[in-house]
């Protein structure tokens, strides 16, 4: 990488940010097209986000991805939020220009592209969605656009009810209530990040016909149990890559081939 006076700066802003794989594959994408640009991790505490947002603008940074816990604030502070981001209520991609800051949400696109490899036809599909946080909103938005029927479960019942009212889906008190009726199970909760996390439901009740997707991008107890049961499964890595491909397209107008970003991440993970 040759940095010089005209190198464009991009990055990912979050707290914490050390675990992020985005710098790995976004820098690979810039190199692949010989673009004079660099993509850096930007760790910003919640109370500093406002200052950082205007700082990025003043510094002439071209674009950033935004991750936890700043996605809602990023949308609020932007000048031109796109209608998908507004409907989801958060932005994960900002593009800085002389007219102002454009805000997008590419999580829902990343989710759909990844999911369609597992389930090509989503119309009428019965889905059990676990979780009612920020990523659940993007997933719900995507599924409802595709015409899926969503049953939503969340640890905090009230949050599930609020989301269901907004996106017209059905709240369930326990995931087990609808397991027999659904074809797809999607986990958007952070449960499973740590091995000691309790199961979200009795994983012994999974059937080989269930398709299972977990937004966490490595094996979780849910994914492992599903595999043992013979279910087709997918972790969150493809969603991460596809949302990143879409952000890259927004910034540069260029579509990065999937294999370029996938290989970059696999190579990185092999060494760390
Ligand atoms: P994200 O943007 O990744 O969705 P978030 O908005 O903080 O993050 O939402 C986290 C989600 O994971 C919530 O649905 C949360 O449930 P609550 O609304 O009850 O807090 C869920 N979650 C986190 N830890 C969990 C656990 N141990 N068991 C079940 N759900 C959990």
């Amino acid at each position: 990488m040759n940095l010089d006076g005209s190198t464009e700066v991009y990055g990912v802003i979050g707290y914490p940010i050390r675990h992020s794989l985005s710098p790995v594959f976004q820098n690979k994408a810039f190199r692949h097209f010989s673009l004079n640009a660099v993509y850096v991790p930007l760790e910003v505490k919640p109370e500093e986000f406002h200052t950082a947002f205007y700082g990025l603008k003043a510094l002439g940074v071209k674009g950033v991805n935004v991750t936890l816990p700043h996605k809602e604030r990023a949308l609020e502070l932007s000048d031109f939020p796109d209608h998908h981001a507004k409907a989801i209520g958060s932005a994960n991609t900002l593009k800085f220009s002389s007219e102002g800051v454009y805000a997008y949400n590419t999580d829902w696109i990343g989710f759909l592209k990844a999911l369609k490899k597992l389930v090509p036809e989503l119309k009428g599909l019965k889905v059990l969605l676990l979780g009612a946080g920020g990523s659940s909103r993007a997933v719900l938005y995507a599924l409802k656009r595709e015409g899926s029927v969503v049953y939503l479960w969340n640890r905090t019942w009230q949050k599930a009810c609020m989301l269901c009212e907004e996106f017209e889906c059905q709240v369930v008190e326990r995931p087990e209530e609808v397991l027999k009726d659904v074809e797809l199970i999607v986990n958007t909760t952070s449960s499973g990040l740590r091995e000691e996390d309790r199961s979200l439901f009795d994983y012994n009740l999974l059937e080989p016909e269930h398709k299972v997707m977990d937004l966490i991008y490595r094996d979780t107890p849910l994914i492992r149990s599903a595999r043992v049961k013979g279910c087709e499964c997918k972790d969150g890595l493809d969603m991460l890559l596809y949302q990143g491909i879409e952000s890259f397209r927004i910034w540069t107008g260029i579509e990065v081939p999937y294999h370029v970003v996938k290989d970059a991440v696999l190579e990185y993970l092999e060494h760390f």
Side-chain angles (χ1 to χ4, degrees):
M1 188 183 304
N2 294 315
L3 303 182
D4 61 23
S6 26
T7 303
E8 293 189 338
V9 179
Y10 295 82
V12 55
I13 182 164
Y15 190 82
I17 204 62
R18 271 163 203 274
H19 66 282
S20 176
L21 291 173
S22 294
V24 174
F25 69 84
Q26 295 289 10
N27 280 312
K28 179 65 189 284
F30 284 126
R31 282 199 302 278
H32 182 77
F33 292 105
S34 304
L35 299 177
N36 188 1
V38 66
Y39 183 104
V40 293
L42 301 162
E43 190 158 86
V44 174
K45 290 186 176 144
E47 61 274 22
E48 302 282 6
F49 183 74
H50 188 273
T51 311
F53 181 94
Y54 290 103
L56 292 170
K57 210 173 147 180
L59 287 164
V61 166
K62 295 291 171 189
V64 290
N65 281 126
V66 184
T67 186
L68 279 176
H70 305 308
K71 290 184 183 187
E72 287 81 11
R73 214 53 199 111
L75 180 73
E76 283 165 24
L77 294 180
S78 68
D79 303 301
F80 307 111
D82 93 329
H83 73 280
H84 305 294
K86 279 201 259 183
I88 294 166
S90 66
N92 75 325
T93 305
L94 299 176
K95 182 176 168 179
F96 296 91
S97 79
S98 50
E99 307 97 71
V101 184
Y102 289 81
Y104 308 85
N105 189 306
T106 68
D107 288 332
W108 72 278
I109 301 171
F111 170 73
L112 274 187
K113 288 200 168 155
L115 177 61
K116 283 186 177 177
K117 287 182 169 178
L118 187 66
V119 190
E121 180 53 62
L122 301 177
K123 196 167 169 54
L125 185 82
K126 291 190 173 143
V127 186
L128 168 61
L129 183 58
L130 306 167
S135 36
S136 178
R137 289 182 67 90
V139 167
L140 200 43
Y141 178 74
L143 289 171
K144 292 303 290 186
R145 269 176 69 92
E146 294 290 310
S148 303
V149 179
V150 181
Y151 300 93
L152 183 73
W153 172 84
N154 191 51
R155 180 177 63 179
T156 311
W157 163 259
Q158 213 63 32
K159 269 165 79 179
C161 293
M162 279 160 59
L163 211 54
C164 279
E165 216 168 282
E166 192 178 338
F167 287 94
E168 291 180 4
C169 54
Q170 205 172 308
V171 191
V172 294
E173 236 171 286
R174 294 168 52 247
E176 285 85 348
E177 279 171 36
V178 289
L179 271 184
K180 279 206 164 358
D181 304 320
V182 299
E183 297 146 277
L184 171 71
I185 299 161
V186 181
N187 177 35
T188 71
T189 78
S190 40
S191 170
L193 267 174
R194 296 163 312 166
E195 284 303 316
E196 63 271 26
D197 284 339
R198 277 185 51 200
S199 304
L200 295 163
F201 60 92
D202 181 358
Y203 298 154
N204 279 321
L205 297 174
L206 287 165
E207 303 281 349
E209 294 74 29
H210 284 129
K211 308 263 173 89
V212 179
M213 183 162 168
D214 200 318
L215 266 49
I216 295 172
Y217 45 78
R218 57 177 175 73
D219 267 7
T220 57
L222 171 62
I223 290 281
R224 272 199 298 275
S225 307
R227 210 178 286 129
V228 168
K229 289 279 184 175
C231 309
E232 276 185 69
C233 314
K234 197 160 202 32
D235 67 24
L237 182 59
D238 268 358
M239 175 175 169
L240 175 78
L241 296 176
Y242 283 118
Q243 64 78 34
I245 288 172
E246 188 58 20
S247 299
F248 191 87
R249 195 191 58 71
I250 287 169
W251 297 321
T252 65
I254 301 171
E255 183 91 19
V256 196
Y258 167 78
H259 73 86
V260 170
V261 289
K262 177 80 184 262
D263 290 351
V265 168
L266 292 184
E267 196 184 315
Y268 174 83
L269 292 175
E270 243 174 53
H271 292 99
F272 293 91

